[in-house]
Amino acid sequence: GCPGGVLVSTQCFTVFRDHPRNWTDAVKQCHSQGLVLAEPSDTVAVPLRRFLFERYGDGSFWLNARGDQRKFVWQRTNKDIDGDSTLWSPGEPGNRFTPLYCLSLLAWGIDLKRSPGQPYYSQDCSNAFTYPLCERILENTEALKSPTIALAENISITLDTLENDLIDSITMYNKSIDEILQDTQLMKELLLVLEENLSIQLESVDTNLSTTLDKLHQDTQLMKEPLLGLEQNLSTQLESMETHISTVMNELYKDTQLMKEPLLVLGGNLSTKLESVKTNLSTTLDKLYQDTQQMKGSLTLEEMDQRRIKSDKIMFQAIKGFCVHSQCFKLITDVKRNWTDAMAKCEEEGLILAEPSDLVAVPLRRYLVEKYDNAEAWIGAQGDGSRFVWQHGGTALMNDSPLWDTSPTGNADNTKCVELDVNKAEYEADSGKTYDISSCSSSFYTLCEVIYE
């Protein structure tokens, strides 16, 4: 029987169509299944080919024969295949007897028509587009062989397989060497071309550089003469300028000497005139003093006081102050201060913290409201425990004065001070409530007053 295969005449074959392989892998595939690569007899080859085509269609199948430099040899039985065998396809095997070529069986429809009795075809053993055609050695056939022959065949198959693997490896190595040699040759040619190009470029650069240097040298020589001429001209001009400056300086010195004497005379004249002016001024001042003394005796004390007040008003307005009736004030609004600092600020200005009289207090408040709208300001009164006292004048404000906004009774200790209530809304509500009591540590503007001695 032929389990799992097809029996053609007396030989049992198995085809593996899972995927094509090269010849060496085909041998291994058969061995892995307990089979050998097929060696059909001459009488079986043609009907086997026809069967394969009818069963599987177009295809080629590896057989167990390989070149040995002179001929093709069946690897299992070690029998030769004649080069003039009628089983070779037209033109085969040519001169392809090397171990690089292995035997295949062509089962193509076109070949069946063209050469139906010529199935053998030599292929490169590395061709991986051919299917394995394996053979099962039937037992009754094997029984006829002696154990020695069977062993020899197995050894031969093993050696052939090793030889084939070695040949494949050598072939691949030779191909790699050839490729390396080709690449090396290509690189050599490229390097030669590169060397030639670099040589040409270097020659060009050398030529251009030489030309440029020559031109630069020529230009330098051309510039040398004008520069020498320029140097001589500058030297001549500098000498001329030096001579001219020396001459001018000498003339200037002479002129200075000539001016010296007139200036001394002028100085003497000015000194004399200044003495004369000084004498006249002294005489005028003495006369003015005498006239003043005469006028003083003719004026009443009240008239003199009014004139003094008028004069002081003019003076105080000059320092950005203002006067209300007979008192003149200055509101300082640079920063807000506590009462003690406000007093110190007025003293720094040569003034005192304001102490308006009862007659001046209301119009003073009105003036400030109209000018500043809201400008609460410290004035010079501080509590002494029972009442508020003007610190400069030493007199006390009456506790029942109508000028108070808040009654001072029981609220006049020395931590309390008086501020002028300059608030437009409160002024419009009651224009007479002028004085208010606040903690001396509070911060308000500073209202100073000029003092007439």
Side-chain angles (χ1 to χ4, degrees):
C2 183
V6 59
L7 188 64
V8 179
S9 185
T10 60
Q11 290 183 269
C12 178
F13 301 99
T14 300
V15 179
F16 291 97
R17 292 274 294 185
D18 52 347
H19 63 82
R21 296 170 174 80
N22 61 37
W23 187 85
T24 301
D25 289 342
V27 171
K28 293 177 181 179
Q29 174 67 19
C30 292
H31 286 177
S32 70
Q33 302 298 319
L35 308 173
V36 295
L37 203 58
E39 294 185 5
S41 65
D42 291 351
T43 58
V44 170
V46 174
L48 176 61
R49 177 196 198 189
R50 184 168 53 254
F51 167 79
L52 292 173
F53 174 74
E54 292 173 353
R55 180 73 174 271
Y56 301 107
D58 288 340
S60 60
F61 302 87
W62 286 121
L63 299 178
N64 195 25
R66 189 170 191 168
D68 69 350
Q69 300 295 349
R70 297 179 296 104
K71 57 188 177 302
F72 274 81
V73 179
W74 293 111
Q75 300 297 298
R76 183 172 63 85
T77 59
N78 202 29
K79 293 180 179 180
D80 297 342
I81 302 175
D82 292 334
D84 56 357
S85 171
T86 59
L87 296 175
W88 286 106
S89 293
E92 289 290 324
N95 59 354
R96 293 190 290 275
F97 292 113
T98 69
L100 297 177
Y101 292 93
C102 297
L103 184 63
S104 66
L105 186 145
L106 290 183
W108 293 78
I110 188 171
D111 292 312
L112 283 170
K113 293 179 180 179
R114 186 171 53 190
S115 51
Q118 298 172 296
Y120 289 169
Y121 186 81
S122 61
Q123 293 191 63
D124 189 325
C125 297
S126 63
N127 182 356
F129 300 100
T130 302
Y131 296 100
L133 177 60
C134 301
E135 180 181 358
R136 182 181 298 278
I137 304 302
L138 298 178
E139 293 180 1
N140 58 351
T141 304
E142 288 296 312
L144 299 176
K145 296 181 179 179
S146 68
T148 303
I149 294 174
L151 178 61
E153 288 181 351
N154 289 335
I155 292 173
S156 176
I157 291 171
T158 302
L159 290 175
D160 289 342
T161 301
L162 292 173
E163 180 185 5
N164 293 334
D165 290 344
L166 180 61
I167 291 172
D168 289 342
S169 299
I170 292 172
T171 301
M172 292 179 64
Y173 176 77
N174 288 335
K175 286 184 178 180
S176 299
I177 294 296
D178 291 340
E179 290 175 355
I180 292 173
L181 290 174
Q182 291 175 2
D183 292 342
T184 303
Q185 183 63 30
L186 180 61
M187 288 178 65
K188 184 177 180 181
E189 293 175 358
L190 290 174
L191 287 173
L192 289 174
V193 172
L194 178 61
E195 180 182 7
E196 184 177 355
N197 290 336
L198 286 175
S199 177
I200 294 172
Q201 291 180 11
L202 286 174
E203 289 178 1
S204 175
V205 169
D206 184 55
T207 302
N208 292 336
L209 183 60
S210 177
T211 303
T212 302
L213 290 174
D214 290 341
K215 189 174 186 307
L216 182 61
H217 177 71
Q218 293 173 3
D219 293 342
T220 303
Q221 292 300 316
L222 291 173
M223 290 173 64
K224 186 175 180 180
E225 186 173 350
L227 287 173
L228 290 174
L230 178 61
E231 181 182 6
Q232 293 175 356
N233 291 336
L234 288 174
S235 178
T236 302
Q237 291 179 13
L238 287 173
E239 290 178 359
S240 176
M241 288 176 64
E242 183 178 0
T243 302
H244 179 68
I245 290 171
S246 178
T247 302
V248 170
M249 291 296 292
N250 289 332
E251 292 177 354
L252 183 61
Y253 176 75
K254 292 177 182 179
D255 292 341
T256 302
Q257 293 299 316
L258 292 173
M259 290 173 64
K260 185 176 180 180
E261 186 174 351
L263 286 173
L264 290 173
V265 173
L266 178 61
N269 292 337
L270 287 174
S271 178
T272 302
K273 288 182 179 181
L274 286 173
E275 288 294 331
S276 175
V277 169
K278 183 177 179 181
T279 301
N280 292 335
L281 181 59
S282 178
T283 302
T284 301
L285 289 173
D286 289 341
K287 188 174 184 305
L288 182 60
Y289 176 75
Q290 293 172 4
D291 292 342
T292 301
Q293 292 299 316
Q294 291 176 2
M295 290 174 64
K296 184 176 180 181
S298 63
L299 293 175
T300 65
L301 291 176
E302 184 178 355
E303 289 174 335
M304 290 180 65
D305 189 50
Q306 291 297 324
R307 289 191 179 188
R308 178 180 62 78
I309 291 172
K310 183 177 181 180
S311 175
D312 287 342
K313 285 183 178 181
I314 294 171
M315 178 195 71
F316 200 64
Q317 288 170 354
I319 61 170
K320 297 184 180 179
F322 60 92
C323 297
V324 178
H325 298 322
S326 61
Q327 288 182 272
C328 294
F329 305 94
K330 180 178 182 180
L331 182 65
I332 300 175
T333 59
D334 56 344
V335 294
K336 292 184 177 182
R337 299 173 173 82
N338 60 39
W339 186 85
T340 302
D341 290 344
M343 179 174 284
K345 179 63 178 176
C346 289
E347 291 176 356
E348 180 185 319
E349 297 277 337
L351 308 171
I352 66 167
L353 201 56
E355 297 182 359
S357 67
D358 290 351
L359 293 176
V360 170
V362 174
L364 172 61
R365 183 190 187 199
R366 181 174 62 251
Y367 173 84
L368 292 174
V369 167
E370 291 174 351
K371 187 172 180 65
Y372 297 100
D373 194 7
N374 292 297
E376 286 86 348
W378 287 121
I379 56 177
Q382 184 181 25
D384 68 354
S386 61
R387 56 186 180 169
F388 285 89
V389 179
W390 294 117
Q391 298 301 296
H392 180 75
T395 59
L397 284 76
M398 300 300 293
N399 285 350
D400 57 355
S401 171
L403 297 174
W404 289 110
D405 184 39
T406 302
S407 174
T409 303
N411 194 28
D413 61 81
N414 61 3
T415 65
K416 302 294 174 58
C417 298
V418 181
E419 48 109 350
L420 192 67
D421 188 8
V422 184
N423 183 284
K424 186 174 183 180
E426 294 181 5
Y427 175 79
E428 291 175 350
D430 190 339
S431 62
K433 303 296 184 180
T434 303
Y435 297 151
D436 204 354
I437 301 170
S438 295
S439 171
C440 298
S441 62
S442 299
S443 295
F444 299 109
Y445 292 128
T446 302
L447 183 62
C448 301
E449 180 185 355
V450 65
I451 296 301
Y452 303 110
E453 299 297 340

